[in-house]
mmCIF file with all atom_site columns, all heavy atoms in Angstrom:
data_model
loop_
_atom_site.group_PDB
_atom_site.id
_atom_site.type_symbol
_atom_site.label_atom_id
_atom_site.label_alt_id
_atom_site.label_comp_id
_atom_site.label_asym_id
_atom_site.label_entity_id
_atom_site.label_seq_id
_atom_site.pdbx_PDB_ins_code
_atom_site.Cartn_x
_atom_site.Cartn_y
_atom_site.Cartn_z
_atom_site.occupancy
_atom_site.B_iso_or_equiv
_atom_site.pdbx_formal_charge
_atom_site.auth_seq_id
_atom_site.auth_comp_id
_atom_site.auth_asym_id
_atom_site.auth_atom_id
_atom_site.pdbx_PDB_model_num
ATOM 1   N N   . ASP A 1 170 ? 78.823 83.040 83.135 1.00 92.00 ? 170 ASP A N   1
ATOM 2   C CA  . ASP A 1 170 ? 78.449 84.443 82.951 1.00 92.00 ? 170 ASP A CA  1
ATOM 3   C C   . ASP A 1 170 ? 79.694 85.256 82.634 1.00 92.00 ? 170 ASP A C   1
ATOM 4   O O   . ASP A 1 170 ? 80.760 85.018 83.216 1.00 92.00 ? 170 ASP A O   1
ATOM 5   C CB  . ASP A 1 170 ? 77.818 85.004 84.228 1.00 92.00 ? 170 ASP A CB  1
ATOM 6   C CG  . ASP A 1 170 ? 76.406 84.489 84.462 1.00 92.00 ? 170 ASP A CG  1
ATOM 7   O OD1 . ASP A 1 170 ? 75.816 83.955 83.509 1.00 92.00 ? 170 ASP A OD1 1
ATOM 8   O OD2 . ASP A 1 170 ? 75.914 84.629 85.597 1.00 92.00 ? 170 ASP A OD2 1
ATOM 9   N N   . ASN A 1 171 ? 79.572 86.233 81.731 1.00 94.00 ? 171 ASN A N   1
ATOM 10  C CA  . ASN A 1 171 ? 80.697 87.137 81.541 1.00 94.00 ? 171 ASN A CA  1
ATOM 11  C C   . ASN A 1 171 ? 80.706 88.159 82.678 1.00 94.00 ? 171 ASN A C   1
ATOM 12  O O   . ASN A 1 171 ? 79.818 88.169 83.541 1.00 94.00 ? 171 ASN A O   1
ATOM 13  C CB  . ASN A 1 171 ? 80.666 87.794 80.158 1.00 94.00 ? 171 ASN A CB  1
ATOM 14  C CG  . ASN A 1 171 ? 79.456 88.695 79.959 1.00 94.00 ? 171 ASN A CG  1
ATOM 15  O OD1 . ASN A 1 171 ? 78.920 89.284 80.897 1.00 94.00 ? 171 ASN A OD1 1
ATOM 16  N ND2 . ASN A 1 171 ? 79.011 88.805 78.713 1.00 94.00 ? 171 ASN A ND2 1
ATOM 17  N N   . LEU A 1 172 ? 81.698 89.041 82.691 1.00 97.00 ? 172 LEU A N   1
ATOM 18  C CA  . LEU A 1 172 ? 81.851 89.944 83.830 1.00 97.00 ? 172 LEU A CA  1
ATOM 19  C C   . LEU A 1 172 ? 80.723 90.961 83.920 1.00 97.00 ? 172 LEU A C   1
ATOM 20  O O   . LEU A 1 172 ? 80.325 91.362 85.021 1.00 97.00 ? 172 LEU A O   1
ATOM 21  C CB  . LEU A 1 172 ? 83.206 90.651 83.746 1.00 97.00 ? 172 LEU A CB  1
ATOM 22  C CG  . LEU A 1 172 ? 84.436 89.736 83.849 1.00 97.00 ? 172 LEU A CG  1
ATOM 23  C CD1 . LEU A 1 172 ? 85.714 90.558 83.916 1.00 97.00 ? 172 LEU A CD1 1
ATOM 24  C CD2 . LEU A 1 172 ? 84.341 88.807 85.052 1.00 97.00 ? 172 LEU A CD2 1
ATOM 25  N N   . SER A 1 173 ? 80.180 91.387 82.782 1.00 97.00 ? 173 SER A N   1
ATOM 26  C CA  . SER A 1 173 ? 79.041 92.317 82.809 1.00 97.00 ? 173 SER A CA  1
ATOM 27  C C   . SER A 1 173 ? 77.825 91.659 83.452 1.00 97.00 ? 173 SER A C   1
ATOM 28  O O   . SER A 1 173 ? 77.131 92.270 84.283 1.00 97.00 ? 173 SER A O   1
ATOM 29  C CB  . SER A 1 173 ? 78.700 92.777 81.390 1.00 97.00 ? 173 SER A CB  1
ATOM 30  O OG  . SER A 1 173 ? 79.768 93.486 80.812 1.00 97.00 ? 173 SER A OG  1
ATOM 31  N N   . GLN A 1 174 ? 77.552 90.410 83.071 1.00 95.00 ? 174 GLN A N   1
ATOM 32  C CA  . GLN A 1 174 ? 76.427 89.685 83.665 1.00 95.00 ? 174 GLN A CA  1
ATOM 33  C C   . GLN A 1 174 ? 76.655 89.448 85.156 1.00 95.00 ? 174 GLN A C   1
ATOM 34  O O   . GLN A 1 174 ? 75.717 89.507 85.959 1.00 95.00 ? 174 GLN A O   1
ATOM 35  C CB  . GLN A 1 174 ? 76.239 88.356 82.934 1.00 95.00 ? 174 GLN A CB  1
ATOM 36  C CG  . GLN A 1 174 ? 75.798 88.499 81.490 1.00 95.00 ? 174 GLN A CG  1
ATOM 37  C CD  . GLN A 1 174 ? 75.908 87.195 80.717 1.00 95.00 ? 174 GLN A CD  1
ATOM 38  O OE1 . GLN A 1 174 ? 76.836 86.408 80.930 1.00 95.00 ? 174 GLN A OE1 1
ATOM 39  N NE2 . GLN A 1 174 ? 74.966 86.949 79.811 1.00 95.00 ? 174 GLN A NE2 1
ATOM 40  N N   . THR A 1 175 ? 77.904 89.202 85.526 1.00 95.00 ? 175 THR A N   1
ATOM 41  C CA  . THR A 1 175 ? 78.225 88.983 86.935 1.00 95.00 ? 175 THR A CA  1
ATOM 42  C C   . THR A 1 175 ? 77.916 90.221 87.761 1.00 95.00 ? 175 THR A C   1
ATOM 43  O O   . THR A 1 175 ? 77.330 90.135 88.852 1.00 95.00 ? 175 THR A O   1
ATOM 44  C CB  . THR A 1 175 ? 79.710 88.603 87.089 1.00 95.00 ? 175 THR A CB  1
ATOM 45  O OG1 . THR A 1 175 ? 79.966 87.400 86.356 1.00 95.00 ? 175 THR A OG1 1
ATOM 46  C CG2 . THR A 1 175 ? 80.075 88.386 88.547 1.00 95.00 ? 175 THR A CG2 1
ATOM 47  N N   . VAL A 1 176 ? 78.280 91.396 87.247 1.00 97.00 ? 176 VAL A N   1
ATOM 48  C CA  . VAL A 1 176 ? 78.015 92.645 87.971 1.00 97.00 ? 176 VAL A CA  1
ATOM 49  C C   . VAL A 1 176 ? 76.516 92.923 88.037 1.00 97.00 ? 176 VAL A C   1
ATOM 50  O O   . VAL A 1 176 ? 76.001 93.397 89.060 1.00 97.00 ? 176 VAL A O   1
ATOM 51  C CB  . VAL A 1 176 ? 78.777 93.813 87.316 1.00 97.00 ? 176 VAL A CB  1
ATOM 52  C CG1 . VAL A 1 176 ? 78.307 95.152 87.867 1.00 97.00 ? 176 VAL A CG1 1
ATOM 53  C CG2 . VAL A 1 176 ? 80.277 93.658 87.554 1.00 97.00 ? 176 VAL A CG2 1
ATOM 54  N N   . GLU A 1 177 ? 75.794 92.626 86.965 1.00 96.00 ? 177 GLU A N   1
ATOM 55  C CA  . GLU A 1 177 ? 74.339 92.817 86.980 1.00 96.00 ? 177 GLU A CA  1
ATOM 56  C C   . GLU A 1 177 ? 73.693 91.963 88.070 1.00 96.00 ? 177 GLU A C   1
ATOM 57  O O   . GLU A 1 177 ? 72.829 92.437 88.827 1.00 96.00 ? 177 GLU A O   1
ATOM 58  C CB  . GLU A 1 177 ? 73.755 92.455 85.613 1.00 96.00 ? 177 GLU A CB  1
ATOM 59  C CG  . GLU A 1 177 ? 74.095 93.445 84.503 1.00 96.00 ? 177 GLU A CG  1
ATOM 60  C CD  . GLU A 1 177 ? 73.583 92.986 83.151 1.00 96.00 ? 177 GLU A CD  1
ATOM 61  O OE1 . GLU A 1 177 ? 72.860 91.955 83.116 1.00 96.00 ? 177 GLU A OE1 1
ATOM 62  O OE2 . GLU A 1 177 ? 73.895 93.637 82.143 1.00 96.00 ? 177 GLU A OE2 1
ATOM 63  N N   . LYS A 1 178 ? 74.096 90.698 88.166 1.00 95.00 ? 178 LYS A N   1
ATOM 64  C CA  . LYS A 1 178 ? 73.543 89.822 89.201 1.00 95.00 ? 178 LYS A CA  1
ATOM 65  C C   . LYS A 1 178 ? 73.958 90.286 90.592 1.00 95.00 ? 178 LYS A C   1
ATOM 66  O O   . LYS A 1 178 ? 73.176 90.213 91.547 1.00 95.00 ? 178 LYS A O   1
ATOM 67  C CB  . LYS A 1 178 ? 74.002 88.385 88.960 1.00 95.00 ? 178 LYS A CB  1
ATOM 68  C CG  . LYS A 1 178 ? 73.334 87.710 87.773 1.00 95.00 ? 178 LYS A CG  1
ATOM 69  C CD  . LYS A 1 178 ? 73.712 86.234 87.699 1.00 95.00 ? 178 LYS A CD  1
ATOM 70  C CE  . LYS A 1 178 ? 72.974 85.529 86.571 1.00 95.00 ? 178 LYS A CE  1
ATOM 71  N NZ  . LYS A 1 178 ? 73.302 84.081 86.501 1.00 95.00 ? 178 LYS A NZ  1
ATOM 72  N N   . LEU A 1 179 ? 75.200 90.757 90.703 1.00 96.00 ? 179 LEU A N   1
ATOM 73  C CA  . LEU A 1 179 ? 75.670 91.252 91.994 1.00 96.00 ? 179 LEU A CA  1
ATOM 74  C C   . LEU A 1 179 ? 74.824 92.431 92.461 1.00 96.00 ? 179 LEU A C   1
ATOM 75  O O   . LEU A 1 179 ? 74.424 92.495 93.636 1.00 96.00 ? 179 LEU A O   1
ATOM 76  C CB  . LEU A 1 179 ? 77.138 91.664 91.887 1.00 96.00 ? 179 LEU A CB  1
ATOM 77  C CG  . LEU A 1 179 ? 77.729 92.405 93.092 1.00 96.00 ? 179 LEU A CG  1
ATOM 78  C CD1 . LEU A 1 179 ? 77.687 91.525 94.342 1.00 96.00 ? 179 LEU A CD1 1
ATOM 79  C CD2 . LEU A 1 179 ? 79.152 92.860 92.802 1.00 96.00 ? 179 LEU A CD2 1
ATOM 80  N N   . ASN A 1 180 ? 74.526 93.362 91.570 1.00 96.00 ? 180 ASN A N   1
ATOM 81  C CA  . ASN A 1 180 ? 73.734 94.534 91.952 1.00 96.00 ? 180 ASN A CA  1
ATOM 82  C C   . ASN A 1 180 ? 72.317 94.145 92.373 1.00 96.00 ? 180 ASN A C   1
ATOM 83  O O   . ASN A 1 180 ? 71.756 94.739 93.308 1.00 96.00 ? 180 ASN A O   1
ATOM 84  C CB  . ASN A 1 180 ? 73.695 95.541 90.801 1.00 96.00 ? 180 ASN A CB  1
ATOM 85  C CG  . ASN A 1 180 ? 74.978 96.354 90.702 1.00 96.00 ? 180 ASN A CG  1
ATOM 86  O OD1 . ASN A 1 180 ? 75.647 96.595 91.712 1.00 96.00 ? 180 ASN A OD1 1
ATOM 87  N ND2 . ASN A 1 180 ? 75.337 96.760 89.499 1.00 96.00 ? 180 ASN A ND2 1
ATOM 88  N N   . ARG A 1 181 ? 71.735 93.155 91.710 1.00 96.00 ? 181 ARG A N   1
ATOM 89  C CA  . ARG A 1 181 ? 70.406 92.689 92.135 1.00 96.00 ? 181 ARG A CA  1
ATOM 90  C C   . ARG A 1 181 ? 70.491 92.063 93.527 1.00 96.00 ? 181 ARG A C   1
ATOM 91  O O   . ARG A 1 181 ? 69.599 92.245 94.363 1.00 96.00 ? 181 ARG A O   1
ATOM 92  C CB  . ARG A 1 181 ? 69.851 91.681 91.122 1.00 96.00 ? 181 ARG A CB  1
ATOM 93  C CG  . ARG A 1 181 ? 69.454 92.299 89.794 1.00 96.00 ? 181 ARG A CG  1
ATOM 94  C CD  . ARG A 1 181 ? 68.505 91.389 89.018 1.00 96.00 ? 181 ARG A CD  1
ATOM 95  N NE  . ARG A 1 181 ? 69.133 90.127 88.645 1.00 96.00 ? 181 ARG A NE  1
ATOM 96  C CZ  . ARG A 1 181 ? 69.776 89.932 87.494 1.00 96.00 ? 181 ARG A CZ  1
ATOM 97  N NH1 . ARG A 1 181 ? 69.899 90.936 86.622 1.00 96.00 ? 181 ARG A NH1 1
ATOM 98  N NH2 . ARG A 1 181 ? 70.302 88.759 87.213 1.00 96.00 ? 181 ARG A NH2 1
ATOM 99  N N   . HIS A 1 182 ? 71.577 91.347 93.768 1.00 95.00 ? 182 HIS A N   1
ATOM 100 C CA  . HIS A 1 182 ? 71.788 90.732 95.079 1.00 95.00 ? 182 HIS A CA  1
ATOM 101 C C   . HIS A 1 182 ? 71.943 91.796 96.167 1.00 95.00 ? 182 HIS A C   1
ATOM 102 O O   . HIS A 1 182 ? 71.383 91.663 97.269 1.00 95.00 ? 182 HIS A O   1
ATOM 103 C CB  . HIS A 1 182 ? 73.034 89.847 95.010 1.00 95.00 ? 182 HIS A CB  1
ATOM 104 C CG  . HIS A 1 182 ? 73.461 89.274 96.319 1.00 95.00 ? 182 HIS A CG  1
ATOM 105 N ND1 . HIS A 1 182 ? 72.917 88.125 96.848 1.00 95.00 ? 182 HIS A ND1 1
ATOM 106 C CD2 . HIS A 1 182 ? 74.384 89.696 97.220 1.00 95.00 ? 182 HIS A CD2 1
ATOM 107 C CE1 . HIS A 1 182 ? 73.481 87.863 98.016 1.00 95.00 ? 182 HIS A CE1 1
ATOM 108 N NE2 . HIS A 1 182 ? 74.379 88.798 98.259 1.00 95.00 ? 182 HIS A NE2 1
#
Side-chain angles (χ1 to χ4, degrees):
D170 286 344
N171 64 29
L172 296 187
S173 297
Q174 294 168 324
T175 300
V176 169
E177 289 176 6
K178 287 187 176 181
L179 171 62
N180 282 330
R181 289 199 296 269
H182 173 84

